[in-house]
Amino acid sequence: MRRSVGKLMFIQSRSLSFFLLLFLLTASSWLGHRASAQTLKNLEGGVNIFGQFSQSSNGNGVQDSPTDSLGVVASVRQSFHPWLGYEINYGYTRFSEHYSTTPFGVQNNVHEATGAYLLQGPTIPILGLQPFGAVGVGGLLFLPTTVGGQKYNQQWRVPLLYEVGVNYPIFTSHLGLRLQYRGLVYKTPDFNSAQLTTNTRRQTSEPSVGAYFRF
């Protein structure tokens, strides 16, 4: 009799352990799915084509007149609240710096890596536009080209980034068009050459248009 009761208790204990383990696995899977969904909530990826227009600089007896160009910027952004979000950008363009102290321009590839604090407003009724703004900092790498770079050294600059724009959903809330203006303020590049140094700051304007996908 005692053996039967002990055996029954052992079976019940094994069954309880099995169902407890099954419950924990199910709960962990559900929580993981919820966490993953929460992580992707309001996450966006976008690509924009921009026009690059940099101001001329004049200082220290040197004038720098950069050329205009087209470029591309890829962005990842996420909003946790309308007033709390972030944005990470990578951009690329190519243009030339023309200094008054040299007969040839300095052609360079410019790479941008920036991060910003993001604000997104509510969607405007009827128009369907969602305004946004951002401010941040990052790095600009001016990399002279092999042929047109006149053998100058590469140089980093730290820009202040600011953005304003609107998102316009098309067909679905997950896909839309993005119109924005981007501004970058930074020290004029001199490629570590005293002959090219203006000791000034300039602004680069980048009006852009593109598309985004929202998870």
Side-chain angles (χ1 to χ4, degrees), residues 150-215:
Q150 312 305 323
K151 298 183 179 180
Y152 284 106
N153 297 322
Q154 68 180 40
Q155 188 171 51
W156 283 93
R157 288 296 190 232
V158 178
L160 170 66
L161 167 70
Y162 62 93
E163 299 176 340
V164 291
V166 292
N167 289 330
Y168 180 65
I170 53 174
F171 306 122
T172 172
S173 61
H174 296 285
L175 182 66
L177 298 177
R178 176 170 294 159
L179 301 174
Q180 69 177 358
Y181 170 84
R182 311 177 76 243
L184 296 159
V185 181
Y186 54 94
K187 188 175 182 181
T188 303
D190 55 30
F191 305 100
N192 300 312
S193 172
Q195 188 181 14
L196 309 181
T197 301
T198 63
N199 285 326
T200 60
R201 300 184 68 82
R202 76 181 184 195
Q203 174 172 293
T204 293
S205 298
E206 295 180 351
S208 68
V209 60
Y212 68 89
F213 179 80
R214 178 178 296 166
F215 291 91

Side-chain angles (χ1 to χ4, degrees), residues 5-89:
V5 172
K7 186 175 182 180
L8 180 61
M9 292 180 64
F10 175 75
I11 294 174
Q12 289 178 338
S13 177
R14 290 287 298 274
S15 299
L16 182 61
S17 299
F18 172 76
F19 285 112
L20 180 60
L21 178 61
L22 182 62
F23 171 78
L24 290 175
L25 290 174
T26 303
S28 297
S29 176
W30 181 77
L31 289 174
H33 177 73
R34 286 290 299 273
S36 177
Q38 188 66 27
T39 300
L40 294 177
K41 184 178 180 181
N42 292 328
L43 183 67
E44 298 176 6
V47 177
N48 275 42
I49 303 298
F50 64 81
Q52 177 278 138
F53 307 97
S54 295
Q55 292 178 331
S56 296
S57 303
N58 195 342
N60 200 34
V62 181
Q63 182 174 351
D64 174 23
S65 301
T67 59
D68 301 333
S69 67
L70 292 176
V72 61
V73 59
S75 302
V76 175
R77 57 168 58 173
Q78 186 173 27
S79 291
F80 304 103
H81 299 284
W83 44 267
L84 178 61
Y86 69 88
E87 178 183 80
I88 300 173
N89 307 296

Side-chain angles (χ1 to χ4, degrees), residues 43-148:
L43 183 67
E44 298 176 6
V47 177
N48 275 42
I49 303 298
F50 64 81
Q52 177 278 138
F53 307 97
S54 295
Q55 292 178 331
S56 296
S57 303
N58 195 342
N60 200 34
V62 181
Q63 182 174 351
D64 174 23
S65 301
T67 59
D68 301 333
S69 67
L70 292 176
V72 61
V73 59
S75 302
V76 175
R77 57 168 58 173
Q78 186 173 27
S79 291
F80 304 103
H81 299 284
W83 44 267
L84 178 61
Y86 69 88
E87 178 183 80
I88 300 173
N89 307 296
Y90 168 76
Y92 169 79
T93 187
R94 172 186 284 193
F95 59 93
S96 297
E97 310 278 351
H98 288 276
Y99 298 92
S100 59
T101 51
T102 60
F104 303 104
V106 181
Q107 185 186 66
N108 55 104
N109 296 309
V110 182
H111 301 268
E112 172 199 336
T114 52
Y117 177 82
L118 176 67
L119 295 169
Q120 293 205 100
T123 300
I124 301 174
I126 303 177
L127 297 178
L129 301 175
Q130 183 185 35
F132 63 84
V135 60
V137 295
L140 286 176
L141 174 60
F142 291 84
L143 189 62
T145 61
T146 302
V147 177

